[in-house]
């Protein structure tokens, strides 16, 4: 991206005071407040007129007085056609970048009123906010607006009906001939503003709600990216731009605009259909915008080169825009970037790894995995941008990973589409992002999507932050009974097994995701999962922890602060668990040994016999008590059992034996834990507590991120696992 301000300083066109609060236009000798948002746009436009359009600085006047009836106003910039600056040629109206679509249209009206008020024949009007530009040919003899794709450069008499062409910088330059422009790389903040303002322009009129507008903007961004990827000859115009029709072809202003809009609509629709053939999962429905609305969006994005814009910048821009729109209602779909980065950084993911997120939300984990592989590729091919041979090796290195090895499942269709677009923005990786309940079987997923990659036992890494607290009920989801953790846990200290269906009435979604992730992992594969601390600490969740021990080698537990998800609307204290799937025979051996421990402890303690004896003692004592009271009160046994005296006595009796049973159970559990600790394989577990993770409860950045330090140590620990 050209740094106009720096070039302007170097060429002596502008200068600044020490704190850059004041700008001076050197030739004009005028000094202005640079903190004014409109002044920043005006300075940029002034420099573009000189550096891009080649107008001599002496033909440009700033803040030109315009008499409007009894008032005197100022036109921001006027470019003159003569050295005496008597014949105004171009009038430029500058607005701040954050101007709304309605305000921009008002600015066009204002610019026209200035053009008609200025003496002489103003031939062109340029209205700009820095991120949106519209150009017009002015005819004072007729009250019409002939929109142009650009203003003429210095010395150019005839303008083409398009502005942006592929490889414009390599085309020969000829005096008096129009110079075309190629697409420009812009920064994150500028791109974020364009996304936001295009979105607002779609819904502000009330025809679409913000959610529908987001979906439609997604489709057009998809078309924009697809247009950039199309092969083109040097100098061939892009399709995703406003291409005008001359007055010679259509005199009527209204009909001319309708034809331009229809042509644009057809070009965009063709792009959409061409891209959709390659991946029907990206967008299933058609573009639902009017041609005029499409024109509005195109006006914000036509000049931008999304393909060449830095991956992190455009990714952050889309996520910032997406986050500002979705986070209020869909905060749970966004895992904070610091946590995502920490998890992906410490795992040894490579281009050969098969990676899955079973509840991928907006795709944050997948994007970081993709970028990790891309960075790995650039380590091997550092000069890929300037070396065709290196590029040929580098591109498949990460692109094949994105296309074949990166998978995501998201239940919310709108968020799923956003995740796909997020991946497309990052140069692919969307093919294997599907809309589905992440807890249905792999067979059900494959049948519905036709994607054979979602196969149990095939993934090297699963990185995920499942939804917390959703209760999956058997009456609503029949698949609950297929989960081991969807069944009532077996109590080895229970005297009698309960008959009938042992499926739970319901189970927390995060618990079921643990099992689903276990099923998707291959042996030796690693799971990094964000879980509520209740699973790690609540006594009622011991059966889950026991199952975790059987299924996984617990690699690490990293505790997050209470505020980790507060900015996203969740206050649940959580931790990140890193787990490595045991081989099947090892799991079976663990389960067998535990059953053996339990059986031997029960036998050595004569547990069943003692429980039977105590049950008989209770029944005998209850009978003796009833017989004693019957002989005294001459009441029936049933009547006696209903008396307050008997109920109090019986409660004390049952409490006495319950205490005996609890003492025996406690002893057996202690013996079981001691036996397990002594005889089962022991291994080190990485434990850490992060109190500051780079942002506070409101999401505001802080100076310290302890996850960086923890991550470096955990990375070393994971690498050393094979040696432990």
């Amino acid at each position: 991206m050209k740094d106009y301000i720096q070039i302007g300083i170097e060429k002596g066109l502008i200068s600044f005071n020490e704190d850059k609060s004041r700008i001076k236009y050197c030739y004009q000798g005028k000094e202005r407040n640079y903190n004014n948002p409109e002044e920043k746009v005006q300075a940029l436009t002034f420099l573009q007129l000189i550096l891009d359009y080649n107008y001599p600085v002496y033909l440009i006047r700033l803040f030109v007085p315009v008499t409007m009836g009894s008032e005197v106003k100022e036109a921001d910039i006027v470019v003159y056609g003569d050295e005496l600056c008597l014949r105004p040629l171009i009038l430029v109206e500058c607005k701040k970048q954050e101007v709304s679509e309605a305000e921009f249209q008002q600015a066009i009206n204002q610019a026209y009123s200035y053009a008609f008020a200025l003496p002489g024949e103003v031939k062109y009007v340029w209205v700009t906010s820095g991120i949106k530009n519209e150009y017009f040919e002015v005819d004072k003899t007729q009250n019409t607006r002939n929109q142009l794709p650009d203003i003429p450069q210095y010395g150019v008499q005839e303008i083409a009906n398009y502005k942006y062409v592929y490889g414009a910088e390599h085309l020969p330059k000829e005096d008096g001939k129009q110079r075309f422009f190629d697409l420009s790389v812009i920064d994150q903040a500028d791109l974020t503003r364009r996304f936001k303002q295009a979105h607002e322009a779609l819904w502000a009129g009330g025809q679409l709600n913000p959610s529908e507008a987001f979906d439609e903007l997604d489709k057009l961004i998809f078309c924009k990216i697809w247009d950039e990827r199309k092969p083109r000859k040097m100098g061939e115009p892009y399709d995703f731009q406003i291409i005008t029709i001359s007055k010679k072809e259509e005199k009527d202003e209204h009909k001319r605009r309708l034809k331009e809009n229809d042509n644009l609509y057809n070009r965009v629709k063709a792009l959409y259909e061409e891209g959709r053939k390659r991946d029907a999962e990206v967008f299933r429905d058609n573009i639902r915008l009017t041609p005029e609305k499409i024109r509005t969006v195109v006006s914000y994005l036509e000049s931008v080169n999304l393909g060449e814009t830095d991956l992190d910048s455009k990714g952050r821009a889309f996520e910032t825009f997406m986050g500002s729109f979705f986070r209020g209602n869909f905060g749970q779909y966004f895992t904070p970037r610091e946590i995502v980065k920490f998890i992906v950084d410490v795992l040894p993911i490579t281009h050969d790894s098969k990676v899955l997120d079973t509840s991928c939300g907006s795709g944050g984990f997948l994007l970081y995995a993709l970028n990790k592989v891309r960075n790995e590729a650039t380590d091997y091919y550092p000069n890929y941008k300037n070396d065709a041979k290196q590029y040929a090796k580098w591109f498949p290195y990460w692109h094949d990973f994105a296309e074949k090895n990166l998978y995501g499942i998201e239940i919310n269709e709108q968020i799923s589409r956003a995740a796909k677009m997020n991946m497309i923005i990052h140069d692919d990786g969307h093919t294997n992002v599907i809309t589905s309940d992440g807890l249905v079987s792999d067979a059900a997923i494959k049948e519905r999507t036709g994607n054979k990659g979602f196969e149990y036992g095939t993934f090297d890494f699963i990185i995920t932050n499942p939804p917390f607290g959703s209760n999956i009920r058997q009456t609503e989801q029949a698949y609950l009974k297929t989960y081991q953790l969807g069944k009532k846990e077996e109590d080895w200290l229970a005297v009698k097994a309960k008959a009938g269906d042992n499926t739970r009435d319901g189970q927390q979604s995060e618990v079921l995701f643990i099992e689903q992730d276990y099923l998707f992992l291959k042996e030796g594969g690693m799971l990094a999962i964000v879980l509520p601390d209740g699973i790690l600490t609540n006594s009622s969740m011991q059966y889950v922890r026991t199952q975790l021990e059987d299924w996984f080698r617990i690699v690490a537990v990293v505790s997050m602060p209470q505020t980790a998800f507060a900015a996203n609307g969740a206050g649940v204290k959580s931790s990140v668990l890193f787990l490595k799937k045991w081989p099947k025979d090892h799991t079976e051996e663990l389960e067998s040994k535990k059953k053996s421990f339990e059986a031997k402890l029960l036998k050595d303690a004569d547990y069943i016999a003692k429980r039977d004896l105590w049950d008989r003692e209770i029944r005998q004592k209850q009978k003796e008590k009833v017989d004693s009271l019957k002989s005294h009160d001459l009441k029936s046994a049933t009547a006696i059992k209903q008396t307050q005296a008997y109920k109090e006595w019986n409660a004390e009796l049952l409490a006495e034996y319950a205490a005996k049973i609890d003492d025996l159970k406690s002893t057996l559990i202690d013996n079981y834990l001691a036996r397990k600790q002594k005889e089962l394989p022991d291994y080190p577990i990485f434990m850490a507590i992060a109190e500051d993770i780079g942002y506070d409860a409101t999401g505001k950045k802080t100076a310290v991120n302890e996850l960086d330090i923890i991550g470096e140590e955990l990375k070393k620990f994971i690498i050393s696992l094979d040696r432990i």
Side-chain angles (χ1 to χ4, degrees), residues 366-367 406 419-430:
L366 301 178
L367 287 172
L406 199 58
K420 291 167 192 168
M421 181 53 63
N422 212 352
M423 301 301 290
I424 293 170
I425 286 281
H426 281 78
D427 289 1
D428 225 322
H430 65 282

Side-chain angles (χ1 to χ4, degrees), residues 475-488:
T475 54
E476 298 167 355
Q477 300 292 355
Y479 59 64
L480 181 62
K481 63 185 177 185
T482 67
Y483 281 88
Q484 179 66 32
L485 292 172
K487 296 180 173 64
K488 296 168 185 174

Side-chain angles (χ1 to χ4, degrees), residues 188 309-317 337 368 371 426:
Q188 175 193 335
T309 296
D310 174 72
L311 285 170
D312 194 48
S313 293
K314 66 184 174 185
R316 283 175 180 261
R337 178 179 292 269
Y368 266 82
N371 283 340
H426 281 78

Side-chain angles (χ1 to χ4, degrees), residues 51-159:
L51 302 175
D52 290 342
Y53 292 86
N54 301 319
Y55 283 99
V57 67
Y58 58 79
L59 295 182
I60 302 173
R61 294 282 178 91
L62 304 176
F63 324 113
V64 177
V66 180
T67 302
M68 307 280 294
S70 60
E71 290 185 273
V72 177
K73 302 207 173 182
E74 285 186 344
D76 293 329
I77 303 174
V78 177
V79 181
Y80 289 85
D82 65 310
E83 294 185 10
L84 296 176
C85 294
L86 297 175
R87 291 187 289 107
L89 177 68
I90 303 168
L91 182 141
V92 185
E93 177 68 17
C94 302
K95 307 305 291 185
K96 63 182 180 180
Q97 289 185 327
E98 289 76 15
V99 68
S100 70
E101 183 65 22
E103 290 169 331
F104 192 91
Q105 296 306 315
Q106 289 175 3
I108 294 174
N109 293 334
Q110 182 175 327
Y112 258 82
S113 66
Y114 288 172
F116 275 80
L118 277 172
E121 287 293 321
V122 176
K123 290 188 176 180
Y124 303 99
V125 162
W126 175 10
V127 181
T128 180
S129 68
I131 63 174
K132 179 181 173 73
N133 297 279
E134 291 201 10
Y135 314 92
F136 300 90
E137 184 180 23
V138 178
D139 184 348
K140 285 192 176 183
T141 64
Q142 300 180 34
N143 188 22
T144 60
R145 294 184 185 181
N146 181 35
Q147 188 164 355
L148 300 172
D150 202 359
I151 56 167
Q153 287 116 32
Y154 182 62
V156 173
Q157 301 300 318
E158 193 170 335
I159 306 170

